[in-house]
């Protein structure tokens, strides 16, 4: 009816599901690793002389590939379905590609985190609970931090002593990164990508340390 604020554009749907990626990945990681541990696949690989480091990394890569598939398929389906309805996106190709790359890097960090947690629990089915709890806690924390940042930016007189630290924490949390990518916010892409890679390295190191000392049954 002429109200520009109510007009929908294709890019609003491309990454609108990014906020739930962490839950999808938690479920996939628990299902894949649970199957590998319960079926004896992990134990058999070690029994055949394959180093534990290689076994662990192969499982993490499998989880990461599942996450990459989620990151690619959801915007692809949105593009195919929405293109004839809403026309081509207004945002530049570079913004969309950065957002896609960013979601994939964040999914890599979540893959490493969930792999470490589930491996530490021996691949038990119940491992999906702490993974989902981590995803939920991260999302709630990111939401509260986002509200504080918005108050600081929009309401004069707000106490901004913690603004810089909260902004840094928002970019560090995978849930904060995914929330920004869902809105096609790529201004801090390099910073978020760096944090995602740092979390990937840290989670992988911790997971490997625990797996090397784990007694498999």
């Amino acid at each position: 009816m002429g109200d520009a604020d109510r007009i929908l554009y294709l890019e609003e749907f491309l990454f609108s599901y990014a906020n739930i990626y962490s839950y999808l990945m938690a479920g996939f990681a628990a299902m894949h690793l649970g199957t590998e541990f319960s079926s004896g696949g992990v134990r058999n690989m070690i029994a055949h002389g394959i180093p534990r480091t290689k076994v662990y990394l192969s499982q993490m890569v499998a989880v990461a590939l599942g996450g990459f598939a989620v990151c690619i398929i959801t915007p692809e389906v949105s593009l195919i379905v929405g293109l004839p309805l809403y026309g081509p996106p207004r945002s530049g190709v570079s913004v969309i590609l950065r957002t896609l790359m960013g979601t994939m890097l964040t999914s890599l960090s979540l893959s490493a985190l969930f792999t470490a947690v589930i491996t530490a629990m021996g691949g038990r089915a119940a491992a999906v609970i702490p993974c989902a709890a981590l995803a939920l806690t991260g999302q709630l924390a990111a939401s509260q931090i986002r509200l504080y940042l918005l108050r600081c930016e929009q309401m004069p007189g707000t106490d901004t002593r913690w603004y810089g630290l909260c902004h840094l924490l928002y970019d560090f949390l995978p849930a904060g990164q995914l929330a920004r990518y869902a809105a096609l916010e790529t201004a801090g892409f390099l910073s978020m990508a760096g944090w995602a890679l740092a979390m990937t390295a840290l989670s992988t190191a911790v997971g490997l340390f625990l797996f090397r000392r784990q007694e498999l049954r």
Side-chain angles (χ1 to χ4, degrees):
M1 302 298 293
D3 187 354
D5 293 334
R6 300 178 66 180
I7 298 176
L8 301 177
Y9 297 96
L10 177 58
E11 57 264 34
E12 297 177 28
F13 303 97
L14 290 180
F15 298 95
S16 58
Y17 298 101
N19 286 320
I20 66 171
Y21 283 174
S22 56
Y23 300 103
L24 295 177
M25 294 187 60
F28 175 75
M31 180 180 66
H32 171 75
L33 294 173
T35 301
E36 288 295 310
F37 274 89
S38 63
S39 66
V42 172
R43 184 177 61 252
N44 290 337
M45 284 189 285
I46 295 175
H48 281 81
I50 301 176
R52 287 203 175 204
T53 298
K54 188 174 181 178
V55 172
Y56 181 87
L57 292 179
S58 67
Q59 298 302 319
M60 192 186 82
V61 167
V63 174
L65 289 176
F68 290 164
V70 171
C71 294
I72 293 173
I73 291 174
T74 49
E76 183 178 0
V77 172
S78 299
L79 184 63
I80 294 173
V81 174
L83 195 59
L85 297 175
Y86 300 101
R90 300 175 304 163
S91 302
V93 176
S94 61
V95 173
I96 295 175
L97 290 178
R98 280 200 303 270
T99 305
L100 177 61
M101 181 61 68
T103 58
M104 294 177 70
L105 288 173
T106 303
S107 74
L108 178 62
S109 68
L110 289 170
S111 298
L113 176 62
F114 293 149
T115 299
V117 173
I118 296 170
T119 299
M121 295 185 64
R124 296 182 180 87
V128 70
I129 297 176
C131 289
L134 281 173
L136 177 60
T137 301
Q139 191 168 33
L140 292 176
S143 298
Q144 293 302 313
I145 293 172
R146 180 62 175 172
L147 290 175
Y148 171 76
L149 295 177
L150 288 175
R151 283 199 302 269
C152 292
E153 295 168 359
Q154 299 177 1
M155 298 178 61
T158 303
D159 186 357
T160 59
R161 287 178 298 176
W162 301 101
Y163 180 85
L165 179 60
C166 287
H167 197 287
L168 181 66
L169 184 59
Y170 190 71
D171 287 347
F172 170 76
L173 289 173
Q177 296 171 14
L178 292 176
R180 292 191 61 183
Y181 292 136
L184 290 179
E185 297 180 12
T186 59
F189 172 76
L190 292 179
S191 174
M192 291 187 291
W195 285 123
L197 291 174
M199 178 174 286
T200 300
L202 179 61
S203 298
T204 302
V206 173
L208 272 173
F209 175 82
L210 295 174
F211 184 61
R212 286 170 180 166
R213 286 155 179 78
Q214 190 175 51
E215 182 179 352
L216 298 176
R217 299 178 181 177

